[in-house]
Amino acid sequence: MTKRKNSQDTKTETPGRFSRRRLLATAGGAGAAGLAAGAATGAAASRRDDGDGTPGAGADVALTTLGGTAVPFHGRHQPGITTPVQARGHLAAFDLAPGAGRREAAELLRRWSALAAELMAGRGPGGEEDLAIARDAGPASLTVTFGFGRGFFDATGLTAARPLALDPLPEFSADRLDPERSEGHLWVQIGADDALVAFNALRALQRSAARDGTAAVRWQMSGFNRSPGATARPMTTRNLMGQVDGTNNPQPSEPDFERRIFVPGDGDPAWMRNGSYLVFRRIRMLLDDWEGRSLADQERIIGRRKADGAPLTGGGETTPVDLAATGADGRPVIAANAHVRVTAPESNGGAAMLRRPFSYHDGIRSDGAPDAGLLFLAWQADPLTGFVPVQRKLDRGDALSPFLRHEASGLFAVPGGAPEGGYVGQELLEG
Amino acid sequence: MTKRKNSQDTKTETPGRFSRRRLLATAGGAGAAGLAAGAATGAAASRRDDGDGTPGAGADVALTTLGGTAVPFHGRHQPGITTPVQARGHLAAFDLAPGAGRREAAELLRRWSALAAELMAGRGPGGEEDLAIARDAGPASLTVTFGFGRGFFDATGLTAARPLALDPLPEFSADRLDPERSEGHLWVQIGADDALVAFNALRALQRSAARDGTAAVRWQMSGFNRSPGATARPMTTRNLMGQVDGTNNPQPSEPDFERRIFVPGDGDPAWMRNGSYLVFRRIRMLLDDWEGRSLADQERIIGRRKADGAPLTGGGETTPVDLAATGADGRPVIAANAHVRVTAPESNGGAAMLRRPFSYHDGIRSDGAPDAGLLFLAWQADPLTGFVPVQRKLDRGDALSPFLRHEASGLFAVPGGAPEGGYVGQELLEG
């Protein structure tokens, strides 16, 4: 294991037992708009130093960069949107109990926000119970993100405050949606670079929701991405079809990034300022069919080279796709129904969404096929100019669609970040 | 991301795009008896150096230690037994097709062994197809381990060669076993520190099994452990109950380790020399019940402190449990039914097994409880002196058992490692 020296508090120690067991929680990287993975701020906090010196007696050990990286909970936007994707993720939807209304929901969001802030800093607010499985590790880039589904507003008597953007998504012809694994009153996204840290947060948030019978899990799914350190490829990941994914994502450095992804400061409704709308789709991949196709077929279907994600019209991964290019036979190099053409912003009135997915793999199905694919998560200021036009186009003629099954769906309003002392959704719930 | 300089070939480069894209496969740590996580040998192999210099054009990037660590496939023992547990694991059982016999099984094991050796070195023997999802990453400590179940011997006409040690495990009163997720002709264990590398290996091995209709997946499960770098705790991990797990594991440095875990060189049958027997149990944890108990209750049930795994009789995690110690009230400090007492080798005629589990979490059950627990994997030279006496004792009075459900089970004969040019099980299948 390696350690990064980025603070005078950080000591390089021999892996193994430590003579001074000191847990170093390094506040790192991903701030409000921070996509710079692992760009530590240099602020390090020495959490505990029991110094009893008994070999092997303590659970507190020096952390490496992976474990010690903390993402701040408070800020203009919620974490987990522009934060680099983590190795492990959980999605959970909760429904309020029949007796729970606006007051109970406000109490839950206040509890949840306090809990998320503490866990993301590597602390357990309720003591042993809240930190049980995450002990020994640091926050490991834990993020917790909260959203509200369409049903939340009726359940809490806040129907008038429901954003138009939460109107149901259109039905697409290829949808095979399971309502029991779709939508929900409340939505929670958890990400961390350590699976035990992520699971611990899920359990702690679930216990908090169950307190006083406020809310119960409606559905819950888990996913993963590449481990930090497995590759030096900086931004993009691969999906389970082996394709480089996320190349064309809007970048925070682009001038219109903020207005495309986040609801503007003068946006409507006011409580959604600096928030974003999340479209979730559980997309199963028909991997047996896909892997049965030749590499050339796969690349024609996508419009990019599988090895490096470069467009078939040449260059590298980030080279713009030349949709007008024709081959020696006079036909377009990128086929009319190639996935990269159908989803191109040029083909969709400039529509853009920030895709931040996790892959999932839930064993095998009764038909022997893998139950695996993508937990597609797309962020946008307005689904009607983000996800909807692209999905409409995909529905009408995308070469990739025959290999995909949309099995679950969700649309959630994700408010802006909470300030110190506040909680997510406060303006809605106390407005 | 951090990189370790352990070879003159290794260059420290700025994370991001690389002007020279060079994939560094560092042969690391875990050899035949290697439990020294990440102890690199210093042997580095420069796999590719296309040197075309096109920014972003290539998928080959410098790897960090996590990605670049390779475990050798060939050796006295199979990998994945004494190899440090990885962050991600898959278990899969395959059944031979009705028409497939000894010849087809031998061909499959030959294919599988060649494939495993290549994948573990970070290579794709079948080209693009076999490396698709693992591209960009190194081997990431990938291990592949093969075993034979009781049913394999009848199916291949090798009934006479079946070891007595594969006789069915006794039924335990608390068993709630699902036969469809238990046993199987062939068993494969995959571990890697990157989820995409692990999934890629699973798919490649599955495609190889399906070739010519040789074998099909019977059941498949996935699990996880702490990510390297999330903690500096060297050996032990935590299970989803939050308990430190694996403290009392036999250590390779102990004089009787080899004879307890591996079939001796003059052992019976001869084809199992240097092999080991694997007991698998899918153990669901009743987490809602467990988390509802106080910390003091939990510690009494286990007999160890939750925070650091130290026995209630004092000291640190590795301090021996003092089973004879009594408190001020004259009663034993470690309760008669405490898990640590019931499972202690002293209580079981010195029985010892090497436990190398993965945690699992497959979402929520229809009753709202988490489908989560332990993929218990225990290695021993003889199940009759390893797992069986301990489980018998647990069955008769273990304070932890009410919080556990054994839902699936498997017993597999795992032969010794294959030599270069050979394959796992060759002596059985060609003997």
Side-chain angles (χ1 to χ4, degrees), chain A residues 241-303:
Chain A
M241 287 175 158
Q243 299 291 341
V244 173
D245 200 351
T247 303
N248 243 349
N249 252 344
Q251 303 295 324
S253 57
E254 295 166 5
D256 53 359
F257 177 84
E258 186 82 10
R259 102 179 145 68
R260 285 172 139 178
I261 307 305
F262 295 106
V263 176
D266 58 356
D268 186 50
W271 65 267
M272 272 296 289
R273 279 181 210 142
N274 300 317
S276 185
Y277 290 95
L278 182 275
V279 172
F280 153 68
R281 309 283 281 188
R282 180 181 170 101
I283 305 176
R284 182 159 61 87
M285 295 170 168
L286 308 188
L287 291 179
D288 290 329
D289 294 349
W290 176 254
E291 293 168 5
R293 304 299 284 264
S294 70
L295 177 63
D297 270 4
Q298 293 180 354
E299 294 187 336
R300 263 193 301 273
I301 287 166
I302 300 291

Side-chain angles (χ1 to χ4, degrees), chain B residues 216-247:
Chain B
V217 174
R218 175 184 173 86
W219 55 260
Q220 190 268 310
M221 303 174 193
S222 303
F224 55 88
N225 281 298
R226 185 132 273 162
S227 295
T231 175
R233 181 181 276 275
M235 288 282 302
T236 44
T237 180
R238 282 184 193 271
N239 61 35
L240 297 188
M241 288 177 157
Q243 298 292 340
V244 173
D245 201 351
T247 301

Side-chain angles (χ1 to χ4, degrees), chain B residues 235-284:
Chain B
M235 288 282 302
T236 44
T237 180
R238 282 184 193 271
N239 61 35
L240 297 188
M241 288 177 157
Q243 298 292 340
V244 173
D245 201 351
T247 301
N248 243 349
N249 252 342
Q251 303 296 322
S253 57
E254 295 167 7
D256 53 359
F257 177 83
E258 186 81 11
R259 102 178 145 68
R260 285 171 139 181
I261 308 306
F262 294 107
V263 177
D266 58 357
D268 184 52
W271 64 268
M272 272 297 287
R273 276 180 212 145
N274 300 318
S276 186
Y277 291 93
L278 182 275
V279 172
F280 153 68
R281 310 283 283 188
R282 179 182 171 100
I283 305 177
R284 182 159 62 85

Side-chain angles (χ1 to χ4, degrees), chain B residues 188-361:
Chain B
V188 179
Q189 172 190 256
I190 294 164
D193 281 332
D194 179 75
L196 297 180
V197 168
F199 185 81
N200 186 71
L202 177 64
R203 290 298 294 167
L205 289 159
Q206 195 177 339
R207 279 194 302 270
S208 178
R211 198 193 301 174
D212 307 326
T214 308
V217 174
R218 175 184 173 86
W219 55 260
Q220 190 268 310
M221 303 174 193
S222 303
F224 55 88
N225 281 298
R226 185 132 273 162
S227 295
T231 175
R233 181 181 276 275
M235 288 282 302
T236 44
T237 180
R238 282 184 193 271
N239 61 35
L240 297 188
M241 288 177 157
Q243 298 292 340
V244 173
D245 201 351
T247 301
N248 243 349
N249 252 342
Q251 303 296 322
S253 57
E254 295 167 7
D256 53 359
F257 177 83
E258 186 81 11
R259 102 178 145 68
R260 285 171 139 181
I261 308 306
F262 294 107
V263 177
D266 58 357
D268 184 52
W271 64 268
M272 272 297 287
R273 276 180 212 145
N274 300 318
S276 186
Y277 291 93
L278 182 275
V279 172
F280 153 68
R281 310 283 283 188
R282 179 182 171 100
I283 305 177
R284 182 159 62 85
M285 296 169 170
L286 308 188
L287 292 178
D288 290 329
D289 294 349
W290 177 253
E291 293 169 4
R293 303 300 283 264
S294 70
L295 176 62
D297 271 3
Q298 293 180 356
E299 294 187 335
R300 261 193 302 272
I301 288 166
I302 300 293
R304 290 184 177 276
R305 291 207 311 242
K306 195 169 181 184
D308 59 8
L312 294 187
T313 46
E317 181 194 335
T318 55
T319 306
V321 185
D322 181 358
L323 296 175
T326 50
D329 58 1
R331 301 177 61 166
V333 176
I334 308 290
N337 64 351
H339 187 68
V340 73
R341 179 187 293 278
V342 180
T343 57
E346 306 86 295
S347 311
N348 295 282
M353 42 190 169
L354 178 67
R355 287 160 293 137
R356 191 179 182 280
F358 291 90
S359 289
Y360 76 87
H361 171 213

Side-chain angles (χ1 to χ4, degrees), chain A residues 76-77 148 153 160-165 262-277 413-417 419 423-431:
Chain A
R76 190 152 57 96
H77 305 306
F148 301 102
F153 297 85
R162 188 174 64 211
L164 290 174
F262 295 106
V263 176
D266 58 356
D268 186 50
W271 65 267
M272 272 296 289
R273 279 181 210 142
N274 300 317
S276 185
Y277 290 95
V414 175
Y423 63 91
V424 171
Q426 187 166 11
E427 213 176 328
L428 166 67
L429 289 158
E430 299 180 11

Side-chain angles (χ1 to χ4, degrees), chain A residues 238-244 285-312 333-335 337-341 398-403, chain B residues 126-133 135 200 203 207:
Chain A
R238 284 186 192 269
N239 60 36
L240 297 188
M241 287 175 158
Q243 299 291 341
V244 173
M285 295 170 168
L286 308 188
L287 291 179
D288 290 329
D289 294 349
W290 176 254
E291 293 168 5
R293 304 299 284 264
S294 70
L295 177 63
D297 270 4
Q298 293 180 354
E299 294 187 336
R300 263 193 301 273
I301 287 166
I302 300 291
R304 291 184 177 277
R305 292 207 309 243
K306 195 169 181 183
D308 60 6
L312 295 186
V333 177
I334 308 288
N337 64 352
H339 187 69
V340 73
R341 180 188 293 279
D398 167 37
L400 185 60
S401 291
F403 301 93
Chain B
E128 176 56 36
E129 187 184 87
D130 283 335
L131 208 57
I133 312 168
R135 274 193 89 105
N200 186 71
R203 290 298 294 167
R207 279 194 302 270

Side-chain angles (χ1 to χ4, degrees), chain A residues 40 142 214 297 324 359 378 398 409 419:
Chain A
L142 176 69
T214 308
D297 270 4
S359 289
D398 167 37
S409 179

